[in-house]
C-alpha cells in the first residue's frame, strides 16, 4: 500500500498502479463491475488493482496488450484516472460507457462514437479556458469506426454533451419534481444543434488528453432515447468489444506508420 500523495511516485495514489501494471492503451468504463464484462472479451487478463472506484486489469485482445480502468461516475474521478494512468505510462484512452441518445432515429443498443464534446461539465474548466475544444483523436475515431464496421454493429458518429449531473444537468426533474433553470429546453436545443448523445465523462477526457498530447476517444452504448422515451440496458458488450478491437487496430496502425515513416495515420495507408 502506498501512502504518499506525491503524484510523481511510481505507484499512483488513487489507482495504486505503476508502469509495470499497464499497457499503453487503456479502456475507461465508469462502473467497476463493467471491468469483468470488458475482460471477458479478451484472450487473457489479470487484475492489477482495486482501490475506491478504480479497478484496473491488464491482458491482451487478439494478441495486443490492453488495460482497463474503471473511473466511477462523472468527470472529476475520470480526470484523476487519466492523470494517474498517464503518469504510469499510458498514452491512449477510450471511454467505454452508456449514454442517452437525443436524436429520434437512434435506437437503444446502437453505439455512439464521439468526434467531439460539448463541455457542460466543470472539470475541464480547471485545466483550460472554456472556449478550448474537446475533440477526439482522429486515429481513435477511425479505429472505432473500423471496429464497429468489422463487427457489424450499428453506430453513429458525432458530438456528445457531457454533464456533471445525471438529473438536473441532463434536463431531468430532481427531487420532488424540481426543475433546474433551462432544463425544459435543454434536450431540444442540443438536438437541434445535431448533438447525438448525453453522458458525463467524455468532454473532460478529450480536453485533458489534448492538453497533454495523448490519444483519446469514446464509444457509448445507447441505453435510452430521450426523444422517443425508450429505455433498456442493452449494447454494453458491443461498446466494450468495439473499443477492444479498436485498440488492436490502433496497434496495427502504429506499426504501419512506423514502416511508412510517418507520424499520423491517413487515408493513403492501409491495414490490409
Amino acid at each position: 500500500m502506498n501512502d504518499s500523495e506525491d503524484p510523481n511516485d511510481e505507484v499512483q495514489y488513487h489507482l495504486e498502479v505503476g508502469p509495470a501494471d499497464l499497457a499503453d492503451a487503456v479502456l475507461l468504463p465508469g462502473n467497476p463491475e463493467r471491468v469483468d464484462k470488458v475482460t471477458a472479451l479478451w484472450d487473457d487478463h489479470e487484475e492489477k488493482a482495486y482501490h475506491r472506484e478504480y479497478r484496473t486489469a491488464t491482458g491482451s485482445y487478439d494478441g495486443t496488450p490492453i488495460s482497463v480502468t474503471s473511473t466511477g461516475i462523472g468527470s472529476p474521478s475520470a480526470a484523476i484516472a487519466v492523470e494517474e494512468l498517464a503518469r504510469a505510462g499510458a498514452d491512449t484512452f477510450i471511454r467505454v460507457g452508456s449514454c442517452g441518445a437525443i436524436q429520434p432515429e437512434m435506437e437503444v443498443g446502437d453505439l455512439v462514437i464521439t468526434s467531439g464534446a460539448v463541455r457542460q461539465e466543470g472539470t475541464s474548466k480547471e485545466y483550460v479556458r472554456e472556449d478550448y475544444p474537446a475533440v477526439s483523436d482522429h486515429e481513435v475515431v477511425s479505429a472505432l469506426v473500423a471496429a464497429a464496421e468489422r463487427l457489424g454493429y450499428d453506430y453513429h458518429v458525432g458530438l456528445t454533451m457531457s454533464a456533471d449531473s445525471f438529473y438536473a444537468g441532463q434536463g431531468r426533474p430532481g427531487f420532488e419534481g424540481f426543475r433546474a433553470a433551462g432544463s425544459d429546453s435543454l434536450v431540444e436545443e442540443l438536438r437541434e444543434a445535431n448533438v447525438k448523445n448525453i453522458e458525463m465523462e467524455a468532454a473532460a477526457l478529450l480536453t485533458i488528453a489534448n492538453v497533454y498530447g495523448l490519444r483519446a476517444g469514446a464509444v457509448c452504448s445507447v441505453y435510452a432515447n430521450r426523444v422517443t422515451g425508450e429505455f433498456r440496458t442493452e449494447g454494453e458488450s458491443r461498446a466494450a468489444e468495439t473499443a477492444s478491437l479498436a485498440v488492436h487496430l490502433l496497434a496495427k496502425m502504429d506499426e504501419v506508420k512506423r514502416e511508412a515513416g510517418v507520424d499520423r495515420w491517413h487515408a493513403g495507408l492501409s491495414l490490409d
Side-chain angles (χ1 to χ4, degrees), residues 8 15 69 118 138 141 152 154 165 188-189 207 211 217 232 245:
N8 297 308
L15 274 61
T69 296
V118 180
H138 83 91
V141 173
D154 291 329
S165 162
E188 181 62 20
E189 289 175 1
T207 301
V211 167
R232 292 191 310 276
L245 178 53

Side-chain angles (χ1 to χ4, degrees), residues 7-87:
N8 297 308
D9 278 358
E10 184 173 284
V11 177
Q12 297 303 309
Y13 177 62
H14 296 90
L15 274 61
E16 296 187 348
V17 297
D21 298 318
L22 298 174
D24 292 339
V26 186
L27 306 188
L28 301 174
N31 188 347
E33 295 179 359
R34 197 172 289 160
V35 169
D36 289 331
K37 297 177 181 179
V38 173
T39 56
L41 301 164
W42 296 356
D43 307 330
D44 53 72
H45 73 279
E46 179 182 351
E47 186 167 302
K48 298 295 185 178
Y50 195 166
H51 185 221
R52 303 187 184 188
E53 62 265 58
Y54 304 110
R55 184 182 181 191
T56 299
T58 294
S60 62
Y61 178 87
D62 201 7
T64 299
I66 189 171
S67 293
V68 58
T69 296
S70 57
T71 65
I73 297 175
S75 291
S77 60
I80 290 172
V82 174
E83 284 278 3
E84 296 191 3
L85 290 166
R87 285 170 165 81

